[in-house]
Amino acid sequence: MEWQRAQVFFSELEHQNQLILNAAGEGIYGVNADGKTTFVNRAAQEMLGWTVDDLLGRDIHSMIHHHHLNGDHYPSHDCPIYQSFRHEEVSRIEDEVFWRKDGKPIRVEYVSTPIYDHAQLAGAVVIFRDITERKENERRLREAMDEVAALRDQLEQENTYLQEAISIERAHHDIVGGSPATRALLARVELVSRTSANILITGEPGTGKSLVASAIHKDSDLRRRPLIHFQCGSVTHDMTEVELFGHVRGANANARQDKAGALELANGGTLFLDEVTEIPLEVQGKLLTALQSHEVSRLGDTRSRDVNVRVIASTSRNLEREVQAGRFRQDLFFYLSVFPIHCTPLRDRPDDIPPLCAHLLGLACKRLNRAPPSITEGTIRRLKKYDWPGNVRELANVIERGAIVSTVDKLKVEINVAPVASNRSRSTLLTQADIDGIMIANLIACLRETGGKVAGEDGAAALLGIQATTLYSRIKKLGLTSADWA
């Protein structure tokens, strides 16, 4: 009898307000105290795809409100609409979902109000509005704002990288020389720079591999985009992955904010992997995957980001030998070495020494704010006879030191490090500088022999017969880095 009375009450209510209910733009439906549908207006039918015949007299919660948007089951006893007529409360919900007849969800906001028949609770009336489009617009706005923030962060980090690159003192900013080897190198740079081919630059430390990479980028179609110089040996092995791929805040204890890696920063431009053999073997596979798929994921992030970079790599080591020794992935070697360029050591191109000296002296004197002294033929002959184990980098240091100590109008050079391939007679007396040079050369040769390993039975310290801590201190004191013995 109570159910019939409720049905009559809702039927009269619907009949009295039929024109208003169907004219309303919001969806409106009624439920009795058992949760059964009593009426549904036209707007609700259009939004939900259900007809009056589908819903009338049925449990509407199980038909349109049965699951949350994430797929979790939505029990009716947790539903605010049911709370309305069970606890006589008005419920205002700003973001939930109703499910259409075709199985698609719509985002809704609604008000559920208890309704009475002569002071006795009869059920509730629900008025809802489809906010799917508004929520989608809000989502797009958030994504756009996130993208703008990400681009801003990327530009700031690109600027940081570029400022760091500018602040690094380089021996020179142009490839100088007219020897056959230098002309051949410039021809290969011109040949490959306008292509998208990956490039592998090889050569001893100090031969100008970074300079060649910069020249290729400046002459390429990507010159308006950044050249990101990633010094693979300048970070610890456990940080290499972070520096290459970046991380999101909370990825580890030190990740206090989102950070883009070198791959992201180089997107649309050139990534220069300087001394690529320093990348840990376990990171090489992930790097290859990112380069081949053109996607990168920051550490701790589930999203992947599109990246399109041109890769220039350099190494002072024999990369094929590194592959054979299992220290470098063969597939990554093939990916990087599409177009190899070799930088000839300075001792094999002595004709480049005169123009290099003039160029380096001009740069040094400009930094020192003094007039450049002249370079005599005797000085040039002396410089040409030297073996230059440190190549152009060592020549730059010698020239700058000469510019500092020269107090007359002629350049005075001091070559303090003895040549590696010295034919000095055993009876010739050695200066302290000569002894220091031989010690450094011997130390570098020892570290090359052990592949840079210092401690352990097969380390350089054991070969030299000294403590590992002593050798670490000596390396630090001499300012040697892995690039010196690579």
Side-chain angles (χ1 to χ4, degrees), residues 24-92:
E26 289 83 5
I28 305 173
Y29 67 86
V31 291
N32 62 18
D34 294 324
K36 300 295 193 303
T37 312
T38 56
F39 66 83
V40 184
N41 78 336
R42 184 178 299 144
Q45 295 175 63
E46 291 174 353
M47 283 187 268
L48 297 171
W50 299 93
T51 66
V52 172
D53 294 336
D54 293 328
L55 298 174
L56 205 61
R58 300 185 63 182
D59 179 6
I60 195 168
H61 179 87
S62 64
M63 300 183 73
I64 71 167
H65 211 190
H66 42 78
H67 283 82
H68 293 287
L69 188 59
N70 63 2
D72 291 345
H73 178 62
Y74 198 166
S76 60
H77 57 77
D78 291 339
C79 176
I81 296 172
Y82 276 57
Q83 304 297 325
S84 296
F85 54 79
R86 287 179 180 169
H87 299 288
E88 301 185 41
E89 299 175 348
V90 176
S91 298
R92 292 178 174 83

Side-chain angles (χ1 to χ4, degrees), residues 119-348:
Q120 183 175 352
L121 184 68
V125 172
V126 179
I127 303 174
F128 68 92
R129 180 182 294 112
D130 184 350
I131 60 171
T132 305
E133 184 176 355
R134 190 182 82 196
K135 289 294 181 181
E136 179 64 18
N137 290 336
E138 290 175 356
R139 183 190 66 80
R140 289 175 179 172
L141 178 60
R142 284 194 303 271
E143 287 184 353
M145 293 178 67
D146 289 344
E147 185 176 356
V148 169
L151 288 172
R152 184 183 64 248
D153 291 344
Q154 180 176 343
L155 286 173
E156 289 176 355
Q157 293 182 62
E158 281 181 6
N159 184 61
T160 301
Y161 265 81
L162 293 173
Q163 291 299 324
E164 289 176 355
I166 290 170
S167 66
I168 295 173
E169 273 195 288
R170 297 188 179 277
H172 50 291
H173 303 277
D174 300 297
I175 299 175
V176 175
S179 68
T182 300
R183 289 200 300 269
L185 182 143
L186 289 171
R188 291 184 70 78
V189 168
E190 185 177 357
L191 188 64
V192 76
S193 60
R194 296 301 177 91
T195 73
S196 60
N198 296 329
I199 300 162
L200 178 63
I201 307 171
T202 59
E204 296 178 6
T207 49
K209 298 185 291 294
S210 298
L211 191 65
V212 173
S214 179
I216 292 170
H217 177 74
K218 288 178 181 178
D219 194 41
S220 73
D221 295 333
L222 306 176
R223 56 188 173 274
R224 296 183 182 276
R225 297 295 298 151
L227 167 66
I228 300 301
H229 184 172
F230 182 70
Q231 295 175 310
C232 304
S234 65
V235 294
T236 58
H237 276 204
D238 58 334
M239 286 299 295
T240 301
E241 190 172 8
V242 172
E243 294 298 323
L244 276 173
F245 300 98
H247 61 58
V248 295
R249 185 174 60 183
N252 54 57
N254 297 320
R256 295 183 176 86
Q257 60 182 10
D258 290 355
K259 176 179 179 178
L263 281 163
E264 272 189 75
L265 295 174
N267 186 30
T270 305
L271 176 63
F272 176 39
L273 298 172
D274 197 359
E275 293 300 338
V276 69
T277 52
E278 295 291 338
I279 296 178
L281 191 62
E282 60 271 19
V283 181
Q284 294 174 18
K286 184 175 179 180
L287 172 62
L288 178 62
T289 300
L291 293 173
Q292 289 180 326
S293 65
H294 302 291
E295 289 183 343
V296 62
S297 296
R298 297 181 182 179
L299 272 66
D301 199 354
T302 57
R303 295 180 301 163
S304 61
R305 304 163 191 265
D306 294 336
V307 292
N308 184 20
V309 299
R310 184 196 195 166
V311 181
I312 303 175
S314 77
T315 180
S316 301
R317 301 183 185 180
N318 185 319
L319 206 50
E320 292 181 351
R321 191 177 300 163
E322 294 295 306
V323 171
Q324 293 171 0
R327 292 188 291 267
F328 200 83
R329 292 178 62 108
Q330 186 178 50
D331 47 5
L332 182 57
F333 166 68
F334 287 137
Y335 183 86
L336 296 175
S337 58
V338 174
F339 193 89
I341 294 178
H342 181 68
C343 294
T344 306
L346 187 57
R347 61 182 172 273
D348 294 338

